[in-house]
Amino acid sequence: MSATLVLVRHGETAWNAEGRLQGQTDIPLNDRGREQAHVAGRELGSGSWDVLVSSSLGRAVETAELIGQNLGLALTEKLQGLQERSYGQAEGKVVRDLPRERIDELLQSAEPEEKVATRGLAVLHELVQRHEGRNIIAVAHGTLIRLALDTISEGPKRPIMRNGEAVHVDVQKLREHFREAVH
């Protein structure tokens, strides 16, 4: 029996609302973000969940705890490997409405996308291996989720996730990715 894995993007923060790059800067949820977490918990309430984990950054931890309140499920692990991409010197910069070229200049000091995807997928793969046959919710960050899913997907690139949005992971594709990486 295979595991089920759902990834949830943390709720909104003041920096999300302002269009700022957060990366690994630990900005707390705002009131709207807390409501988004409650909504995500209610929407996930129709499932039968066994495991709740999150990134170790506070906005993801709080989102997971609020989801857990709705599901009667405790947060069991805070995983550093699920942290958002480090944007280096660009963290805190407003990028909303900037031309792509300017954003690319700002991102020169950022953690490489491939490294973000690799570390995120490694944690997710380890989770499904360790929790075989169980239903897992992992709360993480938009860029990490997008890059990880794009890496294992054969379809079009994923759009930016909304705060509080949940997405199911194709666990079979995740496992195939690791089998191919070994060979």
Side-chain angles (χ1 to χ4, degrees), residues 155-173:
K157 299 297 181 198
R158 208 182 146 68
I160 294 173
M161 291 181 69
R162 296 179 320 277
N163 291 101
E165 181 179 352
V167 61
H168 284 265
V169 176
D170 185 329
V171 173
Q172 187 59 38
K173 284 186 179 178

Side-chain angles (χ1 to χ4, degrees), residues 46-101:
S46 61
S48 174
W49 302 102
D50 304 305
V51 179
L52 176 61
V53 301
S54 77
S55 151
S56 56
L57 291 173
R59 59 190 181 267
V61 170
E62 185 177 3
T63 299
E65 289 172 341
L66 293 170
I67 288 170
Q69 287 176 12
N70 283 279
L71 301 176
L73 191 62
L75 175 64
T76 56
E77 284 185 271
K78 300 170 191 173
L79 303 164
Q80 189 168 352
L82 291 181
Q83 284 191 2
E84 180 60 289
R85 179 183 188 191
S86 169
Y87 288 107
Q89 296 173 347
E91 290 193 17
K93 303 281 192 257
V94 176
V95 294
R96 181 179 293 137
D97 302 325
L98 281 182
R100 185 72 236 175
E101 301 80 35

Side-chain angles (χ1 to χ4, degrees), residues 13-42:
T13 69
W15 279 20
N16 289 134
E18 296 166 2
R20 292 182 187 279
L21 287 175
Q22 287 177 112
Q24 295 182 3
T25 303
D26 209 358
I27 306 300
L29 296 181
N30 60 20
D31 289 340
R32 183 169 185 221
R34 288 182 192 91
E35 179 55 31
Q36 290 166 333
H38 281 297
V39 168
R42 288 192 295 271

Side-chain angles (χ1 to χ4, degrees), residues 3 124-132 136 175:
L124 297 175
H125 185 255
E126 192 272 331
L127 273 173
V128 298
Q129 295 294 95
R130 189 161 30 104
H131 297 289
E132 187 67 40
I136 307 161
R175 288 186 170 147

